[in-house]
């Protein structure tokens, strides 16, 4: 497999064609979502990783994800994002908020970093809930209409591009919150005196980060990229 991966291929392209590589990039700290337009070789260099061992890690990856979105329609991509990620966020964020608030209230005095984690999480939650509502009510319906190959005016096409650019900026902000939470929690390290709720909180924050990375990747490097290609070819 190493011979089939060009180190100049962008991270987002690699995960689009091979979803099973996402956990490898997660474990190596390589940003394949917001940083999906970075070539593998360049990403390795920026993160102090040797290219060949990284290629070998990728070669050892075994597929555990059957969701091949390489040739999916825009409508199918939207459905997958909403059903897989938006529904997860709507279910998980309110429950996780209660846990974060409880842990901070009980243990914040001994662990001052918890207040900062809570602040970052609440900001992330507010931004994300507004973001997914905007996507579903406004932007996604416009993107889905691109499947019908209807000719659009320059103004209509520019409006869709601007909306996509705005969503991508939202993704950058979300990624910053996620990175701050990881840093504040020392890479989700469980303290020696952690209670069950604290362990649960940190485990779920890490799972949230992983899901958000996959979510942003599907939008930035698949859905939005395909939508822009349709607009460019019109």
């Amino acid at each position: 497999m190493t011979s089939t991966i060009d180190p100049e291929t962008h991270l987002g392209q690699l995960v689009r064609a091979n979803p099973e590589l996402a956990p490898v990039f997660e474990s190596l700290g390589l940003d394949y979502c917001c940083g999906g337009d970075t070539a593998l070789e360049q990403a390795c260099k920026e993160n102090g990783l040797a290219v060949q061992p990284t290629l070998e890690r990728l070669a050892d990856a075994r597929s555990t994800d059957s969701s091949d979105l390489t040739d999916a329609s825009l409508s199918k991509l939207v459905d997958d994002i909403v059903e897989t990620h938006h529904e997860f966020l709507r279910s998980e964020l309110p429950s996780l908020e209660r846990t974060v608030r409880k842990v901070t209230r009980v243990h914040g005095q001994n662990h001052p970093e918890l207040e900062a984690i809570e602040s970052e999480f609440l900001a992330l939650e507010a931004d994300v809930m507004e973001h997914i509502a905007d996507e579903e009510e406004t932007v996604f319906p416009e993107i889905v209409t691109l499947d019908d190959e209807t000719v659009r005016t320059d103004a209509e096409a520019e409006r869709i591009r601007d909306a996509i650019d705005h969503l991508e900026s939202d993704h950058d902000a979300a990624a910053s919150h996620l990175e701050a939470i990881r840093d504040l929690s020392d890479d989700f390290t469980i303290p020696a005196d952690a209670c069950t709720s604290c362990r649960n909180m940190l485990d779920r924050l890490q799972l949230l980060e992983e899901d958000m990375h996959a979510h942003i990747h599907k939008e930035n490097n698949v859905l939005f990229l395909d939508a822009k290609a349709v607009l460019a070819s019109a």
Side-chain angles (χ1 to χ4, degrees):
M1 182 177 175
T2 57
S3 62
T4 67
I5 296 180
D6 182 352
E8 291 300 316
T9 305
H10 291 178
L11 300 181
Q13 292 175 296
L14 288 172
V15 176
R16 175 172 185 163
N18 308 275
E20 67 272 18
L21 300 185
V24 179
F25 289 140
E26 289 280 0
S27 67
L28 294 172
L30 297 180
D31 178 10
Y32 68 90
C33 53
C34 291
D37 58 353
T38 303
L40 174 61
E41 185 171 28
Q42 180 63 27
C44 287
K45 180 179 179 181
E46 292 174 357
N47 287 272
L49 299 171
V51 175
Q52 189 57 37
T54 301
L55 289 172
E56 292 170 1
R57 283 283 301 276
L58 296 174
D60 290 338
R62 294 293 182 264
S63 178
T64 58
D65 187 340
S66 60
S67 58
D68 182 3
L69 301 175
T70 303
D71 298 314
S73 66
L74 296 172
S75 177
K76 182 178 179 180
L77 289 168
V78 164
D79 287 345
D80 175 77
I81 290 165
V82 172
E83 293 168 7
T84 303
H85 302 290
H86 288 195
E87 291 307 313
F88 166 74
L89 290 168
R90 287 195 174 95
S91 173
E92 175 65 3
L93 288 178
S95 174
L96 183 52
E97 178 189 337
R98 290 191 292 272
T99 300
V100 170
R101 288 185 182 277
K102 173 185 175 181
V103 171
T104 302
R105 183 177 67 252
V106 175
H107 300 287
Q109 186 172 356
N110 293 329
H111 292 278
E113 73 278 4
L114 288 173
E115 290 191 6
I117 290 173
E118 179 186 56
S119 178
E120 291 287 348
F121 173 80
L122 293 176
L124 171 67
E125 180 184 23
D127 289 351
V128 165
M129 294 307 291
E130 180 179 352
H131 175 86
I132 64 177
D134 183 30
E135 288 184 328
E136 293 180 18
E137 295 169 11
T138 307
V139 187
F140 281 1
E142 292 234 58
I143 289 176
V144 167
T145 65
L146 297 176
D147 275 336
D148 64 15
E149 299 181 357
T150 299
V151 176
R152 283 163 179 76
T153 66
D154 290 344
E156 289 172 333
E158 190 62 25
R159 186 183 68 248
I160 297 174
R161 290 191 191 94
D162 287 346
I164 289 174
D165 289 343
H166 176 73
L167 294 179
E168 289 178 331
S169 294
D170 286 351
H171 290 166
D172 290 340
S176 294
H177 288 305
L178 291 168
E179 184 177 359
I181 291 171
R182 172 176 281 278
D183 289 343
L184 289 164
S185 65
D186 191 21
D187 293 335
F188 307 107
T189 300
I190 298 174
D193 61 345
C195 65
T196 300
S197 293
C198 184
R199 292 173 179 271
N200 175 263
M201 179 194 76
L202 290 168
D203 286 344
R204 290 166 70 186
L205 284 172
Q206 185 167 14
L207 289 173
L208 174 66
E209 180 193 65
E210 292 171 0
D211 183 81
M212 285 290 294
H213 285 171
H215 179 179
I216 293 171
H217 158 71
K218 287 180 183 179
E219 294 189 4
N220 281 13
N221 305 317
V222 186
L223 177 66
F224 296 164
L225 208 60
D226 286 1
K228 290 176 180 177
V230 172
L231 291 170
S233 65

